[in-house]
Amino acid sequence: MLAIRPRLASRLAAWVALSPALAVLVVVYIGCTTWTIWISMTASRMLPSSNFVGLRQYEALFANERWTVSVSNLVIFGTMFMIASLALGFLLAVAIDQRVRAENLLRSIFLYPFSMSFVVTGLVWQWVLNPTFGIERIGKNLGFADFKFDWIVRQDMVIYCLVFAAVWHAAGLVMAIMLAGLRGIDEDIWKAARVDGLPTWRVYVSIVVPMMGASFATASVLMATSVVRLYDLSVAMTNGGPGIASEVPAKFVMDHLFERQNIGLATAAATSMLITVAAVVGPFLYWQSRRRAAAGAH
Amino acid sequence: MSAAMTQASSQAMSHAATDKRCDVSVKDVEISFGRHVVLEKLSLDIAQSEFIVLLGPSGCGKSTLLNAISGLLDVNAGQIWIGGRNVTWEEPKDRGIAMVFQSYALYPRMSVRENMSFGLRVAGMPANEIQKRVADAATMLKITELLDRKPSQLSGGQRQRVAIGRALVRDAGVYLFDEPLSNLDAQLRAELRVEIKRLHQRLRATMIYVTHDQIEALTLADRIAVMKDRVIQQLDTPQKIYREPVNRFVASFVGSPAMNFMPGRVERGATGATFSLGDLSIPIQGYPFKSPGLTGAAVLGIRPEHVLSGAEAGPNAFNAQVEMAEPMGADTLVWCRTPSGASFSVRVDSGPSIAPGDTLPVSFPVGTLSLFEEGPDGRRL
Ligand SMILES: Nc1ncnc2c1ncn2[C@@H]1O[C@H](COP(=O)(O)OP(=O)(O)OP(=O)(O)O)[C@@H](O)[C@H]1O
Ligand SMILES: [Mg+2]
């Protein structure tokens, strides 16, 4: 008995200490999420209403061309951005890992874009890619009269401009994560591989990359969150244009929430995004916990 | 590469080492990191099929020397010869060597089988030859049941067996070991030590083995190179190193429990040479002095197991005061003081109990003691 009492007391203290965080979690996250899902099933427009309409907002949402363009843009952007930033970040890290002289300088240069916000990044690349005073202009000034680089104003190409800017922004961060992973690899493994006569590229491909699972996972999660959140880059760089060619889901939600005053449609869009993320993250977390349990059993 | 491979692959594993020339010569090698000189004009000749142990305290340059031999580290000056070839500027894979590391250095995401075969596969060896070599090595090391496991599913001892297996399949003439057992517990260490010795007798390959464990060195080596301060202090058989250490460093580094050192004077009287410890006079007539007729301050060194005690002590015995007894299983280490107050230890059979305060008759037989110059690094007299 005597032994249990202090434990009860300390447990109580722990709960008291945790309670503010718990309150925030319950009210802000769970409360707001529930409210959002509820509103998405009402006929709310400018103001929230409690007129239940079932999935009518979702029918309207998926019939909305702007939304379907946003979703397909996000899929294209997400795939290309993830692959390109992981690949480029890894290659930069490998390049720096060759014990180059100016390692610190290069690392800072590569990491520098990440210190800028997406808004600044978007504005900078908007100027650089602008046909009248960006790269195209420079090409023309250099004497290539029919040089053309107008992707940012072409509906079929503008999304790649977003990918380009976002990769430029994030590759440095991926590099830093990968470099930490590379440096964590036992020197003796490299020595053993050299005695085994393995070419350097082979060591990277067959031995080092498989050992860097944690680094790739960390970088992927960070990149994936910035894919889902993608908003400010699109606003600053193209404002969704030309036309609706570079619209993205988060921008759809924000616009309908604050400009078009269609809360019902906005919350339906937000809920769709939430469900998609949950559908991806849920099985992943489950798989990880299974794997951890399996590893623990050994 | 492929020519060497096919030549090697046509030979069966067990007799491969004997029909290849695989002596190693290190000639005046110098290595420094920046301004910090690690090896200075170091030379070492290792005969075919010899088992050499590089022994020394941490940071004395053992790994550096081994890495220079393997080609993982470039030398600043000097040459490395293996099998009669100057390999100073060759890549490790072309030197005909294989290496085992302290941290095992297994490729973590590959199975044991892949770990052992990957290097050969990349070198383009035919699959059936690889399979045969892996199977042979696995049998030799008793890891056949582990072939499909990942390194993370193995114990430390099993991992080190796999690492040795990965070296064996290379079928090299020279095997290099960098403290392969120092991550293992005492029992496993003893077990694998025997295994490595057996392997050496079976393969008759040249082996160079780095350790800071003097027991490993004494049990494994044909010859031991004791290193300290950028140079090899003594290169000799374990017997010689144990019995006739060239200086106090070697004397104190090799042997456990450690050798006793007692400062005193070498004197010459009517009865011949004696060593005086305060009032005590120990006869050392017949000690093989390097410079005959020498007298003066010196340090007497004798191993605890060489001190004679009790009935064995003989006519030259003196009475020592017992201070403490450390039982060590088969025998007991007894700490005593000479009448003049010098402390030393004696190894006695764990028979009759000896208690603090007892007096124990002991003697220092001249045949097993060593005399050194004064000072912590004094040379053998
Ligand atoms: N890459 C390096 N750069 C600078 N100094 C080094 C480097 N590698 C080793 N040294 C220095 O060289 C000396 C010898 O190192 P080495 O690794 O050969 O020691 P060791 O005898 O193998 O010691 P241990 O028993 O601890 O492994 C040490 O003083 C160490 O500080
Ligand atoms: Mg070392």
Side-chain angles (χ1 to χ4, degrees), chain B residues 298-323:
Chain B
V299 175
L300 180 147
I302 185 156
R303 297 193 183 279
E305 54 271 38
H306 291 154
V307 178
L308 298 180
S309 65
E312 292 171 358
N316 292 326
F318 62 90
N319 278 331
Q321 202 74 24
V322 174
E323 287 200 318

mmCIF file of all heavy atoms in Angstrom, chain B residues 298-323:
data_model
loop_
_atom_site.group_PDB
_atom_site.id
_atom_site.type_symbol
_atom_site.label_atom_id
_atom_site.label_comp_id
_atom_site.label_asym_id
_atom_site.label_seq_id
_atom_site.Cartn_x
_atom_site.Cartn_y
_atom_site.Cartn_z
ATOM 1 N N ALA B 298 70.773 0.036 -10.605
ATOM 2 C CA ALA B 298 70.044 -0.757 -11.602
ATOM 3 C C ALA B 298 68.680 -1.126 -11.032
ATOM 4 O O ALA B 298 68.381 -0.817 -9.879
ATOM 5 C CB ALA B 298 70.831 -2.010 -11.961
ATOM 6 N N VAL B 299 67.882 -1.731 -11.877
ATOM 7 C CA VAL B 299 66.561 -2.180 -11.429
ATOM 8 C C VAL B 299 66.467 -3.672 -11.673
ATOM 9 O O VAL B 299 66.771 -4.147 -12.772
ATOM 10 C CB VAL B 299 65.444 -1.442 -12.198
ATOM 11 C CG1 VAL B 299 64.081 -1.999 -11.812
ATOM 12 C CG2 VAL B 299 65.506 0.047 -11.950
ATOM 13 N N LEU B 300 66.064 -4.393 -10.622
ATOM 14 C CA LEU B 300 65.894 -5.836 -10.770
ATOM 15 C C LEU B 300 64.450 -6.108 -11.152
ATOM 16 O O LEU B 300 63.522 -5.573 -10.554
ATOM 17 C CB LEU B 300 66.252 -6.521 -9.456
ATOM 18 C CG LEU B 300 66.145 -8.053 -9.404
ATOM 19 C CD1 LEU B 300 67.219 -8.593 -8.466
ATOM 20 C CD2 LEU B 300 64.778 -8.538 -8.959
ATOM 21 N N GLY B 301 64.263 -6.935 -12.170
ATOM 22 C CA GLY B 301 62.904 -7.301 -12.563
ATOM 23 C C GLY B 301 62.720 -8.798 -12.466
ATOM 24 O O GLY B 301 63.582 -9.558 -12.921
ATOM 25 N N ILE B 302 61.642 -9.219 -11.838
ATOM 26 C CA ILE B 302 61.366 -10.661 -11.782
ATOM 27 C C ILE B 302 59.859 -10.886 -11.826
ATOM 28 O O ILE B 302 59.095 -10.119 -11.231
ATOM 29 C CB ILE B 302 62.000 -11.314 -10.535
ATOM 30 C CG1 ILE B 302 61.807 -12.833 -10.582
ATOM 31 C CG2 ILE B 302 61.424 -10.741 -9.242
ATOM 32 C CD1 ILE B 302 62.810 -13.600 -9.796
ATOM 33 N N ARG B 303 59.441 -11.891 -12.586
ATOM 34 C CA ARG B 303 58.014 -12.164 -12.704
ATOM 35 C C ARG B 303 57.526 -12.883 -11.460
ATOM 36 O O ARG B 303 58.258 -13.704 -10.889
ATOM 37 C CB ARG B 303 57.734 -13.006 -13.941
ATOM 38 C CG ARG B 303 58.113 -12.293 -15.215
ATOM 39 C CD ARG B 303 57.565 -12.953 -16.452
ATOM 40 N NE ARG B 303 58.041 -12.236 -17.622
ATOM 41 C CZ ARG B 303 57.511 -11.109 -18.085
ATOM 42 N NH1 ARG B 303 56.476 -10.578 -17.470
ATOM 43 N NH2 ARG B 303 58.012 -10.511 -19.142
ATOM 44 N N PRO B 304 56.283 -12.631 -11.049
ATOM 45 C CA PRO B 304 55.740 -13.266 -9.832
ATOM 46 C C PRO B 304 55.838 -14.776 -9.885
ATOM 47 O O PRO B 304 56.086 -15.412 -8.861
ATOM 48 C CB PRO B 304 54.281 -12.814 -9.828
ATOM 49 C CG PRO B 304 54.254 -11.566 -10.629
ATOM 50 C CD PRO B 304 55.342 -11.689 -11.646
ATOM 51 N N GLU B 305 55.688 -15.351 -11.095
ATOM 52 C CA GLU B 305 55.708 -16.815 -11.188
ATOM 53 C C GLU B 305 57.133 -17.365 -11.118
ATOM 54 O O GLU B 305 57.329 -18.573 -11.021
ATOM 55 C CB GLU B 305 54.994 -17.285 -12.459
ATOM 56 C CG GLU B 305 55.477 -16.672 -13.757
ATOM 57 C CD GLU B 305 54.731 -15.383 -14.105
ATOM 58 O OE1 GLU B 305 54.434 -14.605 -13.185
ATOM 59 O OE2 GLU B 305 54.459 -15.158 -15.301
ATOM 60 N N HIS B 306 58.137 -16.502 -11.199
ATOM 61 C CA HIS B 306 59.520 -16.969 -11.148
ATOM 62 C C HIS B 306 60.134 -16.855 -9.759
ATOM 63 O O HIS B 306 61.230 -17.346 -9.525
ATOM 64 C CB HIS B 306 60.377 -16.196 -12.159
ATOM 65 C CG HIS B 306 60.033 -16.538 -13.573
ATOM 66 N ND1 HIS B 306 60.240 -15.671 -14.608
ATOM 67 C CD2 HIS B 306 59.466 -17.641 -14.110
ATOM 68 C CE1 HIS B 306 59.817 -16.221 -15.738
ATOM 69 N NE2 HIS B 306 59.343 -17.422 -15.455
ATOM 70 N N VAL B 307 59.442 -16.156 -8.865
ATOM 71 C CA VAL B 307 59.959 -16.049 -7.501
ATOM 72 C C VAL B 307 59.760 -17.405 -6.827
ATOM 73 O O VAL B 307 58.670 -17.972 -6.877
ATOM 74 C CB VAL B 307 59.196 -14.958 -6.725
ATOM 75 C CG1 VAL B 307 59.700 -14.887 -5.287
ATOM 76 C CG2 VAL B 307 59.339 -13.621 -7.419
ATOM 77 N N LEU B 308 60.844 -17.936 -6.224
ATOM 78 C CA LEU B 308 60.703 -19.210 -5.506
ATOM 79 C C LEU B 308 60.310 -18.903 -4.067
ATOM 80 O O LEU B 308 60.816 -17.959 -3.463
ATOM 81 C CB LEU B 308 62.021 -19.976 -5.541
ATOM 82 C CG LEU B 308 62.506 -20.359 -6.942
ATOM 83 C CD1 LEU B 308 63.831 -21.116 -6.849
ATOM 84 C CD2 LEU B 308 61.461 -21.194 -7.679
ATOM 85 N N SER B 309 59.412 -19.715 -3.503
ATOM 86 C CA SER B 309 58.947 -19.416 -2.153
ATOM 87 C C SER B 309 58.806 -20.695 -1.347
ATOM 88 O O SER B 309 58.773 -21.804 -1.903
ATOM 89 C CB SER B 309 57.611 -18.686 -2.203
ATOM 90 O OG SER B 309 56.634 -19.538 -2.752
ATOM 91 N N GLY B 310 58.742 -20.538 -0.036
ATOM 92 C CA GLY B 310 58.565 -21.678 0.856
ATOM 93 C C GLY B 310 59.753 -22.622 0.785
ATOM 94 O O GLY B 310 60.910 -22.181 0.748
ATOM 95 N N ALA B 311 59.475 -23.932 0.738
ATOM 96 C CA ALA B 311 60.527 -24.941 0.758
ATOM 97 C C ALA B 311 61.413 -24.869 -0.476
ATOM 98 O O ALA B 311 62.594 -25.196 -0.433
ATOM 99 C CB ALA B 311 59.891 -26.337 0.854
ATOM 100 N N GLU B 312 60.836 -24.380 -1.612
ATOM 101 C CA GLU B 312 61.619 -24.316 -2.853
ATOM 102 C C GLU B 312 62.681 -23.220 -2.818
ATOM 103 O O GLU B 312 63.562 -23.194 -3.670
ATOM 104 C CB GLU B 312 60.684 -24.006 -4.032
ATOM 105 C CG GLU B 312 59.715 -25.111 -4.370
ATOM 106 C CD GLU B 312 58.683 -24.639 -5.384
ATOM 107 O OE1 GLU B 312 58.736 -23.446 -5.775
ATOM 108 O OE2 GLU B 312 57.845 -25.457 -5.786
ATOM 109 N N ALA B 313 62.537 -22.296 -1.880
ATOM 110 C CA ALA B 313 63.345 -21.086 -1.943
ATOM 111 C C ALA B 313 64.841 -21.342 -1.874
ATOM 112 O O ALA B 313 65.628 -20.573 -2.407
ATOM 113 C CB ALA B 313 62.926 -20.124 -0.834
ATOM 114 N N GLY B 314 65.260 -22.420 -1.218
ATOM 115 C CA GLY B 314 66.662 -22.801 -1.267
ATOM 116 C C GLY B 314 67.535 -21.999 -0.310
ATOM 117 O O GLY B 314 67.047 -21.248 0.532
ATOM 118 N N PRO B 315 68.852 -22.182 -0.463
ATOM 119 C CA PRO B 315 69.788 -21.594 0.515
ATOM 120 C C PRO B 315 69.857 -20.062 0.448
ATOM 121 O O PRO B 315 70.224 -19.430 1.420
ATOM 122 C CB PRO B 315 71.129 -22.221 0.135
ATOM 123 C CG PRO B 315 70.976 -22.602 -1.305
ATOM 124 C CD PRO B 315 69.544 -22.940 -1.517
ATOM 125 N N ASN B 316 69.528 -19.471 -0.692
ATOM 126 C CA ASN B 316 69.645 -18.021 -0.819
ATOM 127 C C ASN B 316 68.395 -17.275 -0.368
ATOM 128 O O ASN B 316 68.230 -16.100 -0.640
ATOM 129 C CB ASN B 316 69.929 -17.625 -2.271
ATOM 130 C CG ASN B 316 71.307 -18.087 -2.690
ATOM 131 O OD1 ASN B 316 72.233 -18.107 -1.878
ATOM 132 N ND2 ASN B 316 71.429 -18.488 -3.948
ATOM 133 N N ALA B 317 67.497 -17.977 0.322
ATOM 134 C CA ALA B 317 66.212 -17.369 0.667
ATOM 135 C C ALA B 317 66.369 -16.260 1.689
ATOM 136 O O ALA B 317 67.306 -16.243 2.477
ATOM 137 C CB ALA B 317 65.271 -18.434 1.207
ATOM 138 N N PHE B 318 65.464 -15.283 1.613
ATOM 139 C CA PHE B 318 65.345 -14.291 2.685
ATOM 140 C C PHE B 318 63.880 -14.265 3.083
ATOM 141 O O PHE B 318 63.014 -14.773 2.368
ATOM 142 C CB PHE B 318 65.839 -12.918 2.247
ATOM 143 C CG PHE B 318 65.068 -12.325 1.099
ATOM 144 C CD1 PHE B 318 63.934 -11.523 1.334
ATOM 145 C CD2 PHE B 318 65.469 -12.553 -0.215
ATOM 146 C CE1 PHE B 318 63.241 -10.979 0.272
ATOM 147 C CE2 PHE B 318 64.762 -12.010 -1.268
ATOM 148 C CZ PHE B 318 63.649 -11.224 -1.037
ATOM 149 N N ASN B 319 63.612 -13.708 4.262
ATOM 150 C CA ASN B 319 62.246 -13.693 4.752
ATOM 151 C C ASN B 319 61.530 -12.426 4.307
ATOM 152 O O ASN B 319 62.006 -11.319 4.528
ATOM 153 C CB ASN B 319 62.217 -13.782 6.273
ATOM 154 C CG ASN B 319 62.365 -15.221 6.715
ATOM 155 O OD1 ASN B 319 61.956 -16.143 5.983
ATOM 156 N ND2 ASN B 319 62.966 -15.418 7.864
ATOM 157 N N ALA B 320 60.380 -12.610 3.667
ATOM 158 C CA ALA B 320 59.596 -11.456 3.222
ATOM 159 C C ALA B 320 58.334 -11.386 4.066
ATOM 160 O O ALA B 320 57.798 -12.408 4.505
ATOM 161 C CB ALA B 320 59.234 -11.589 1.757
ATOM 162 N N GLN B 321 57.871 -10.165 4.294
ATOM 163 C CA GLN B 321 56.673 -9.925 5.086
ATOM 164 C C GLN B 321 55.454 -9.979 4.157
ATOM 165 O O GLN B 321 55.392 -9.253 3.165
ATOM 166 C CB GLN B 321 56.793 -8.525 5.699
ATOM 167 C CG GLN B 321 55.945 -8.303 6.926
ATOM 168 C CD GLN B 321 56.538 -9.034 8.128
ATOM 169 O OE1 GLN B 321 57.732 -9.309 8.171
ATOM 170 N NE2 GLN B 321 55.681 -9.360 9.082
ATOM 171 N N VAL B 322 54.475 -10.832 4.459
ATOM 172 C CA VAL B 322 53.277 -10.932 3.609
ATOM 173 C C VAL B 322 52.322 -9.793 3.937
ATOM 174 O O VAL B 322 52.023 -9.536 5.100
ATOM 175 C CB VAL B 322 52.573 -12.283 3.811
ATOM 176 C CG1 VAL B 322 51.259 -12.321 3.030
ATOM 177 C CG2 VAL B 322 53.480 -13.415 3.384
ATOM 178 N N GLU B 323 51.851 -9.071 2.913
ATOM 179 C CA GLU B 323 50.937 -7.951 3.128
ATOM 180 C C GLU B 323 49.512 -8.273 2.720
ATOM 181 O O GLU B 323 48.557 -7.769 3.279
ATOM 182 C CB GLU B 323 51.404 -6.751 2.307
ATOM 183 C CG GLU B 323 52.633 -6.087 2.873
ATOM 184 C CD GLU B 323 52.769 -4.688 2.353
ATOM 185 O OE1 GLU B 323 52.533 -4.498 1.149
ATOM 186 O OE2 GLU B 323 53.090 -3.798 3.152
#
